[in-house]
Amino acid sequence: MEQDEDPRQAARQPDKDPKAQARAAKTQARAARAALASMLAPVRRHTRLAMALQIIGAAATIVPYIAIAELAKVLLAPGPADPGEVRGAVLIAVLGLSVRALFGGVALAVTHFADVALQASLRRRIVARLGRAPLGWFTANSSATVRKAAQNDVHDLHYLVAHSAVETTAAVTVPVAGLGYLFWLDWRLALLALATLPLYAGAYAYMMKDFGPQMGRLNAGIAAINKAIVEFVTGIGVVKTFGRAGRAHAGYREAATRFGDHYSGWVRPMLKLEAFSSMAVSAPVVLLVNLAGGIWFVHAGWVSPVDVLTASMVAMVIPSVLVTLGFGAQARREASAAAERIAAVLETPVLPESCRPKVPDGHEVELHDVSFSYDGSVDVLDGVSLRLVPGTVTAPLRERSTLLVIAHRLSTVTAADQIVVLDEGRVTEVGTHQELMVLDGRYARFWNERHRALGWRIAVDAS
């Protein structure tokens, strides 16, 4: 039977079949979206409340534009202006700004409180889960994986929860309300306000066509850098002892170089296109297009100059939706990938617990034919039987000289009540320091070889 391919691995291999890679990327994207939806379920009610508040606040953003347009018509009308109409227009503008600030501020407060609660909950769940994980899991997974899930990945959810929903709602509501007002003024003004958007939309779609696989490789590169950093920091003691610092950080240098090459190769070709497309929706270009078209419309007698000025102000607000939606889409993609990694940590297998735990009778510990393996293939303990008497100290020593010297100082275990010598996971000798020295076995040989090694010196050849 053919084994299914891991979509995360396929996304990180640039030389694979493009169709297979695209399918794997889509599968991974679906899994990431499902993980994100499940993770955001506890704050979904708060998010919906904030979005409802923001719709009211964002819709109120258009009110000042309408009030200014009406005020301009009153002031430009023949004859003296009516003070009541002027005060009314000003009060309407102030009311609109106040509603916008109040509802928008409350909406952000709701999402930020929800974000704090969600991050605290996720970190507690990660700690609780890993606290019950077998030691072998930590051997197979570096501490960089745990740190990235508990810190970086959880933090990647912040913008999506605390800002994205509210800002995206505002970014959509304001242009929709503004376009509705422009269509009420004149449909030609509304279409003119949208004239430059297709250029940006087409360029953005082109730039995002290969985003999934590229982000997969990008995340793999970040993970490789984190792993290299952890390995280097862990081995600092060895570097200080034996030197060769250049070789020690070679792994980090290689991982950083690969990441930089991939990132620059992906981003550099898109910079010019992104610059030109962004110019198409910039405020000066939008204003120029709307004023130029508005002059034509006024000359044709379709609209008034006041309508053109009002439409131009509203049109400059519309492109902001693209920037916000772009940030929101990027935040959702990053949050989806982070949620998938967090979910993987939260699904870590845990040690089984007895359904009927027993209360210990006394404090003595006995091991009977105990075996253990970190990876399920190589036993580090094999048939170990020991009796640990309360009030005593037992020091297990593995029968491998390099691990013995690095992991333990023999001088620190001489006072132990019981020293256990392990050879390939099996107990070979048990006793105190004096008893094992009299036995003249493996422990005694290690002890003597260690003391002879302390007198070694590196001689320099004078020739």
Side-chain angles (χ1 to χ4, degrees):
M1 180 180 295
E2 184 178 356
Q3 187 177 4
D4 291 338
E5 183 178 40
D6 186 353
R8 287 172 293 187
Q9 294 294 332
R12 298 170 188 170
Q13 299 176 8
D15 297 332
K16 292 188 69 64
D17 177 39
K19 293 184 178 180
Q21 188 176 4
R23 289 194 299 268
K26 290 180 180 179
T27 302
Q28 182 186 0
R30 286 194 296 269
R33 287 194 295 268
L36 180 62
S38 175
M39 206 158 291
L40 298 183
V43 298
R44 188 167 292 120
R45 183 178 61 180
H46 300 83
T47 302
R48 289 173 178 172
L49 173 61
M51 292 173 66
L53 294 172
Q54 187 60 43
I55 289 175
I56 299 175
T61 303
I62 301 300
V63 173
Y65 293 104
I66 300 175
I68 291 174
E70 296 303 319
L71 178 61
K73 291 178 181 179
V74 171
L75 296 177
L76 294 176
D82 186 353
E85 292 183 357
V86 173
R87 284 193 298 269
V90 172
L91 288 177
I92 291 174
V94 172
L95 179 62
L97 293 174
S98 300
V99 171
R100 173 193 175 186
L102 175 62
F103 281 79
V106 174
L108 283 174
V110 170
T111 55
H112 274 77
F113 279 116
D115 173 63
V116 171
L118 178 64
Q119 290 199 31
S121 173
L122 288 175
R123 289 194 170 103
R124 291 192 189 101
R125 289 172 59 190
I126 291 174
V127 172
R129 188 75 177 190
L130 296 184
R132 299 169 56 201
L135 292 178
W137 186 90
F138 294 94
T139 302
N141 297 270
S142 66
S143 58
T145 302
V146 178
R147 182 185 67 83
K148 181 171 177 56
Q151 296 183 14
N152 300 25
D153 291 338
V154 172
H155 180 73
D156 284 346
L157 301 177
H158 165 75
Y159 181 81
L160 184 66
V161 176
H163 297 275
S164 181
V166 173
E167 294 178 2
T168 301
T169 300
V172 173
T173 302
V174 171
V176 168
L179 284 174
Y181 175 64
L182 294 184
F183 273 109
W184 180 77
L185 283 178
D186 188 274
W187 62 271
R188 287 173 285 257
L189 291 175
L191 295 180
L192 186 62
L194 300 174
T196 61
L197 292 183
L199 296 175
Y200 182 86
Y204 185 83
Y206 175 79
M207 290 186 291
M208 292 295 105
K209 66 177 183 177
D210 197 29
F211 185 85
Q214 295 287 3
M215 279 302 299
R217 300 189 192 107
L218 204 66
N219 289 327
I222 294 175
I225 292 176
N226 287 335
K227 183 179 180 181
I229 292 174
V230 172
E231 290 177 350
F232 176 72
V233 173
T234 304
I236 284 179
V238 178
V239 174
K240 288 182 177 179
T241 303
F242 300 101
R244 299 184 178 182
R247 293 188 180 182
H249 58 69
Y252 169 76
R253 183 172 60 248
E254 293 174 1
T257 301
R258 286 195 301 269
F259 177 83
D261 291 342
H262 167 253
Y263 186 79
S264 61
W266 176 32
V267 174
R268 186 181 291 113
M270 296 189 297
L271 292 179
K272 292 183 179 179
L273 180 60
E274 196 276 336
F276 285 112
S277 62
S278 297
M279 288 176 57
V281 293
S282 62
V285 173
V286 172
L287 180 61
L288 178 63
V289 170
N290 279 267
L291 289 179
I295 293 174
W296 173 28
F297 294 167
V298 171
H299 182 73
W302 298 333
V303 296
S304 67
V306 173
D307 293 337
V308 172
L309 293 177
T310 304
S312 298
M313 290 189 294
V314 174
M316 286 191 293
V317 177
I318 294 176
S320 63
V321 67
L322 299 175
V323 178
T324 305
L325 291 178
F327 277 118
Q330 174 69 10
R332 178 165 290 277
R333 284 188 288 264
E334 293 178 354
S336 297
E340 187 179 23
R341 293 189 292 268
I342 295 173
V345 173
L346 293 176
E347 294 171 359
T348 301
V350 299
L351 292 172
E353 296 183 2
S354 176
C355 299
R356 298 178 181 178
K358 296 181 179 180
V359 179
D361 183 11
H363 302 286
E364 186 173 287
V365 177
E366 291 189 33
L367 306 179
H368 296 286
D369 196 23
V370 174
S371 299
F372 177 75
S373 172
Y374 286 105
D375 57 8
S377 59
V378 179
D379 288 337
V380 293
L381 295 179
D382 186 6
V384 175
S385 297
L386 292 175
R387 181 170 175 264
L388 309 181
V389 180
T392 64
V393 178
T394 299
L397 296 178
R398 293 188 63 183
E399 214 282 310
R400 289 180 182 177
S401 59
T402 55
L403 292 178
L404 177 65
V405 175
I406 294 173
H408 300 284
R409 295 180 183 271
L410 287 177
S411 58
T412 62
V413 302
T414 56
D417 301 284
Q418 184 176 224
I419 300 173
V420 181
V421 181
L422 301 177
D423 183 7
E424 298 296 334
R426 291 183 176 273
V427 176
T428 58
E429 297 175 7
V430 179
T432 63
H433 173 71
Q434 291 78 10
E435 292 171 347
L436 294 178
M437 292 299 294
V438 172
L439 185 62
D440 195 22
R442 296 178 184 273
Y443 178 84
R445 288 197 298 273
F446 273 114
W447 179 267
N448 293 330
E449 290 174 2
R450 172 62 174 166
H451 274 265
R452 285 197 298 271
L454 292 177
W456 289 357
R457 295 290 186 270
I458 299 177
V460 179
D461 189 358
S463 60

